[in-house]
Amino acid sequence: MSAFSRFTPLANALPSTVPFVGPEAIERQRGLQVKARIGANENGFGPAPSVLAAMRVQAGEIWKYNDPENYELREALANHLGVGIDSIAIGGGIDELLGQIVRLVIEPGAPVVTSLGGYPTFNFHVAGFGGRLVTVPYASDREDLDGLLAAVKRENAPLVYFANPDNPMGSWWGADSVVAFARALPETTMLILDEAYSETGPAGSLPPISALIDLPNVVRTRTFSKAYGLAGARVGYVISTSGTARAFDKIRNHFGMNRLATIAALAALKDQAYLAEVVASIHGARDRIAAIAKANNLVPLASATNFVAIDAGRDGTYARAIVDGLMQHGVFIRMPGVAPLNRCIRVSVGPEADMALLEEALPQVLKTLG
Amino acid sequence: MSAFSRFTPLANALPSTVPFVGPEAIERQRGLQVKARIGANENGFGPAPSVLAAMRVQAGEIWKYNDPENYELREALANHLGVGIDSIAIGGGIDELLGQIVRLVIEPGAPVVTSLGGYPTFNFHVAGFGGRLVTVPYASDREDLDGLLAAVKRENAPLVYFANPDNPMGSWWGADSVVAFARALPETTMLILDEAYSETGPAGSLPPISALIDLPNVVRTRTFSKAYGLAGARVGYVISTSGTARAFDKIRNHFGMNRLATIAALAALKDQAYLAEVVASIHGARDRIAAIAKANNLVPLASATNFVAIDAGRDGTYARAIVDGLMQHGVFIRMPGVAPLNRCIRVSVGPEADMALLEEALPQVLKTLG
């Protein structure tokens, strides 16, 4: 049936896009069942038993709105990170925070710099607020810091996005390079330093908090969705100067956080022993994925994340055929969307049962494709 | 510490406002403990045991992102309401949906009509997108339908907000009046018909779905936060023409829903027997609140919601003193923010223990105030 006739011109110009098709939609559309859910960069090892216990014990709290100030969680994160509580802002995952940042900074037509093939949900938010994307190709499968800086200066861009470690390639820069990049930016350019995968990178890849906390134009985003295994809870946070972090209060949905998600995040943060275990499991699964790739004459890229990008050696059509073929076997994976990254497939970590399904299905699919 | 220097002019003009101060903040700021949480229009009777059981059993699902299409929940709601699945859009509570609607419809400077003293979070979103609020006073403690219509026409407003039943007064209009109002609006004016309290109104106050589903300019918003007792889960939905409902896909945070919240909402919708029980409990608690008011020579207003507005007979300063005085006894309530509504206090329903605390504290507070 017809739609309202007076949406804004910007709204009318936007497609009703879904940035990613979910595995549930694939199951419905193709009549298949996902047996190994290793495509969405979730963490199949799941959250800590202590987290699940907290959720079950406190489920009865769900009739109450969450504290709109998110005080306890901000306090716990501030203590964990060694910053003041006002340097933390909470949101419903990094996705929601990215939308808020774009809204705070971008007016229609303003240039926004990101990498060509970088995180599509960020691009979705930029389009949604009428920003103009300026993309910089990856260099050697890493985001190109010099290229990003040059684009920022050329365009006088108010906003640049950089993920470290990177999605979808799993690559990373060392902390010194990241800090140098951030400090080279004009102070009139906000840097989103997306650290969704901060817990799974190698030593030396994560700048210390103190290295950037004095810069009002740097916003670091982190999440409980990846290493902490709470993607479905929707808890992300921002680390920045207090002045910048408090700007989120101007526009955020103050009563928007799920109360049980906050309880889960608090419990997860407390259980650093489990986090260490699960990070070890993630490392193990990365090695397992890499070994499966090599056994099939594909080339796994080094990864600092909870997934591995695998170079399939041909073009995007071929990689897409592998993705579709694996789904026929119930193995859900994804792939980068843009050339030349789309020569790769992308496999998320998961327990051994998932790895075994991949190991079994991949050679069959490759054989079919020839 | 200082803030980023290049936020948009609109962002710079916005205060870092919190529309409501949460009870947790009151506890922290005043060093008091909330014993009866009957101020935020939550439902202290809580969700169904079947809902809590579903959450506990399926807590382990939390490592997965929720289906971005929200297919199962939209399907269940569509079946429940007798509409097509594409007539439903899901969001993180009505609050989030209100922000999305404003964003889809309002450009900076555009007039938005609402009632003077109506839902503050809606006003927060209007300000956040630069809209210009045009307010119409309540008439006899009800939203003034004729006045709202006249303001819409005078201003050629693209958006009008009307809650039925109303918050903060608890009043309502009959279905026929609501339908006549909706049909009298220009088709270039979107009506937000906020039905957060749809389950607790008297017979005849809720227009049938079929009465408005053909109008592309009418968006009905409903929630699992009130009668279903799931305020902390953050699940709301829109009912409209499919064309209008699908417009939310242009801008919504597709992976924004909490997976366990969706599971809870599905379970809640299935347990209509419990809903009937809890609605009876809400009616009982409304009567109890009204009786307590009368016993203290205050005047309870008739209510179609899960709260009762009580006319304290003087001005806003006096009502505020009652609210503050009750909190000294651990009884958390709220009050309308704007005259003449702010002669009232507003008490949400709750179990008998909460009612007993109110009954004990109110006469002491009134005696102190003299």
Side-chain angles (χ1 to χ4, degrees):
Chain A
M1 280 256 297
S2 55
F4 180 56
S5 60
R6 201 179 172 186
F7 288 124
T8 66
L10 175 57
N12 279 327
L14 295 171
S16 294
T17 307
V18 180
F20 299 105
V21 178
E24 294 84 0
I26 294 172
E27 288 184 317
R28 285 190 298 271
Q29 289 160 11
R30 296 180 57 182
L32 297 169
Q33 194 202 333
V34 170
K35 295 171 190 164
R37 186 171 163 128
I38 49 177
N41 297 352
E42 297 158 335
N43 173 356
F45 299 106
S50 63
V51 170
L52 293 176
M55 291 174 68
R56 290 183 175 120
V57 168
Q58 297 183 70
E61 294 279 300
I62 200 72
W63 67 272
K64 302 175 190 171
Y65 289 108
N66 195 55
D67 172 18
E69 298 182 11
N70 298 305
Y71 189 89
E72 278 187 65
L73 183 55
R74 287 196 296 129
E75 186 181 49
L77 285 166
N79 290 339
H80 183 70
L81 296 165
V83 298
I85 184 171
D86 283 335
S87 278
I88 307 288
I90 307 288
I94 291 177
D95 281 2
E96 183 180 61
L97 293 164
L98 292 177
Q100 291 171 353
I101 295 165
V102 173
R103 182 176 160 193
L104 285 168
V105 174
I106 293 305
E107 296 199 286
V112 178
V113 174
T114 187
S115 298
L116 180 63
Y119 190 45
T121 301
F122 176 69
N123 300 356
F124 169 81
H125 288 306
V126 171
F129 288 100
R132 178 170 58 83
L133 274 178
V134 176
T135 55
V136 176
Y138 281 64
S140 305
D141 296 326
R142 288 204 296 186
E143 296 197 42
D144 178 0
L145 290 179
D146 289 342
L148 291 168
L149 180 60
V152 161
K153 290 184 171 173
R154 188 182 68 239
E155 300 277 350
N156 183 22
L159 187 60
V160 57
Y161 175 89
F162 167 52
N164 192 61
D166 175 69
N167 175 22
M169 301 310 280
S171 53
W172 68 97
W173 284 89
D176 290 350
S177 301
V178 175
V179 171
F181 172 69
R183 294 205 168 270
L185 288 167
E187 65 177 24
T188 51
T189 300
M190 178 173 279
L191 166 63
I192 301 174
L193 178 56
D194 187 345
E195 300 182 322
Y197 302 98
S198 60
E199 296 88 358
T200 53
S205 62
L206 192 69
I209 293 297
S210 60
L212 296 171
I213 194 64
D214 62 310
L215 295 177
N217 66 322
V218 173
V219 163
R220 303 172 78 161
T221 56
R222 297 190 182 177
T223 183
F224 287 89
S225 297
K226 305 301 180 186
Y228 287 106
L230 288 168
R234 312 284 57 222
V235 186
Y237 55 102
V238 151
I239 312 160
S240 66
T241 63
S242 55
T244 294
R246 296 282 56 80
F248 290 82
D249 288 339
K250 295 167 178 258
I251 59 159
R252 70 187 177 89
N253 187 11
H254 291 263
F255 285 85
M257 291 300 294
N258 179 298
R259 193 171 182 103
L260 212 50
T262 301
I263 289 166
L266 279 165
L269 197 63
K270 271 190 195 145
D271 199 338
Q272 293 292 314
Y274 180 82
L275 179 68
E277 273 178 48
V278 102
V279 167
S281 299
I282 289 169
H283 290 175
R286 285 197 317 227
D287 292 345
R288 184 86 166 90
I289 294 167
I292 294 168
K294 285 179 190 165
N296 287 276
N297 297 312
L298 306 180
V299 180
L301 276 58
S303 168
T305 61
N306 72 347
F307 60 85
V308 178
I310 299 171
D311 188 339
R314 302 194 205 172
D315 63 2
T317 306
Y318 183 66
R320 169 59 55 200
I322 299 174
V323 169
D324 290 345
L326 283 172
M327 186 60 216
Q328 289 293 132
H329 293 260
V331 177
F332 165 66
I333 69 164
R334 283 204 178 115
M335 61 180 283
V338 174
L341 313 183
N342 66 357
R343 71 188 192 282
C344 297
I345 59 174
R346 197 194 66 181
V347 181
S348 308
V349 299
E352 175 51 30
D354 295 348
M355 300 296 102
L357 284 170
L358 174 70
E359 185 172 41
E360 188 188 337
L362 184 58
Q364 299 179 49
V365 170
L366 293 174
K367 191 174 170 191
T368 308
L369 296 176
Chain B
M1 280 258 295
S2 58
F4 179 56
S5 60
R6 200 179 173 187
F7 288 125
T8 66
L10 175 57
N12 278 328
L14 294 171
S16 294
T17 307
V18 181
F20 300 106
V21 179
E24 294 84 1
I26 295 173
E27 288 184 316
R28 284 191 297 270
Q29 289 160 10
R30 295 179 58 183
L32 297 169
Q33 192 201 337
V34 171
K35 296 171 189 165
R37 186 171 162 127
I38 49 176
N41 296 351
E42 296 158 335
N43 173 357
F45 299 107
S50 63
V51 170
L52 292 177
M55 290 173 69
R56 289 181 176 122
V57 169
Q58 297 181 70
E61 294 280 300
I62 200 72
W63 66 272
K64 302 175 190 171
Y65 288 110
N66 195 54
D67 172 18
E69 298 183 9
N70 298 305
Y71 189 91
E72 277 187 66
L73 183 54
R74 288 197 297 129
E75 185 181 50
L77 285 165
N79 291 338
H80 183 69
L81 297 165
V83 297
I85 185 171
D86 282 335
S87 278
I88 307 288
I90 307 289
I94 291 177
D95 280 1
E96 182 180 62
L97 292 164
L98 292 177
Q100 292 172 352
I101 294 166
V102 173
R103 182 176 161 193
L104 285 168
V105 174
I106 294 304
E107 297 198 284
V112 178
V113 175
T114 187
S115 297
L116 180 63
Y119 190 47
T121 301
F122 176 68
N123 300 355
F124 169 80
H125 288 306
V126 171
F129 288 102
R132 178 170 57 84
L133 274 177
V134 177
T135 56
V136 177
Y138 281 63
S140 304
D141 295 326
R142 289 203 295 188
E143 296 196 42
D144 179 358
L145 291 179
D146 289 342
L148 291 168
L149 180 60
V152 162
K153 289 184 172 174
R154 188 182 69 240
E155 300 276 351
N156 183 24
L159 186 61
V160 56
Y161 175 89
F162 168 51
N164 192 60
D166 175 69
N167 175 21
M169 301 310 280
S171 54
W172 69 96
W173 284 89
D176 291 350
S177 300
V178 175
V179 172
F181 172 69
R183 294 203 169 272
L185 289 168
E187 65 178 22
T188 50
T189 300
M190 178 173 278
L191 166 63
I192 300 175
L193 178 56
D194 187 345
E195 299 181 323
Y197 302 97
S198 60
E199 295 88 357
T200 54
S205 62
L206 192 68
I209 294 296
S210 59
L212 296 171
I213 194 65
D214 63 310
L215 295 177
N217 65 324
V218 174
V219 163
R220 302 172 80 162
T221 55
R222 296 189 182 177
T223 183
F224 286 89
S225 297
K226 306 300 180 185
Y228 287 105
L230 288 168
R234 311 283 59 221
V235 186
Y237 55 102
V238 151
I239 312 160
S240 67
T241 63
S242 55
T244 295
R246 296 282 57 79
F248 290 82
D249 288 339
K250 294 167 179 259
I251 59 160
R252 71 186 177 87
N253 187 9
H254 290 264
F255 285 84
M257 292 298 295
N258 179 298
R259 192 172 183 104
L260 212 50
T262 301
I263 288 167
L266 278 165
L269 197 64
K270 271 190 194 143
D271 199 338
Q272 292 293 311
Y274 180 82
L275 179 68
E277 272 178 49
V278 102
V279 167
S281 299
I282 290 170
H283 291 175
R286 286 197 315 228
D287 292 346
R288 183 89 166 88
I289 295 167
I292 294 168
K294 284 178 190 167
N296 287 277
N297 296 312
L298 306 180
V299 180
L301 276 58
S303 169
T305 61
N306 71 347
F307 61 86
V308 178
I310 299 171
D311 188 340
R314 301 193 204 171
D315 62 3
T317 306
Y318 183 65
R320 168 60 55 201
I322 299 175
V323 170
D324 290 345
L326 283 173
M327 186 60 216
Q328 290 293 132
H329 294 259
V331 177
F332 165 66
I333 69 165
R334 284 204 178 115
M335 60 178 286
V338 176
L341 313 184
N342 66 357
R343 70 190 192 282
C344 296
I345 59 174
R346 198 194 65 180
V347 181
S348 308
V349 300
E352 175 51 29
D354 295 348
M355 300 295 101
L357 284 170
L358 174 69
E359 185 172 40
E360 188 188 338
L362 184 58
Q364 299 179 51
V365 170
L366 294 174
K367 191 175 171 190
T368 309
L369 296 177

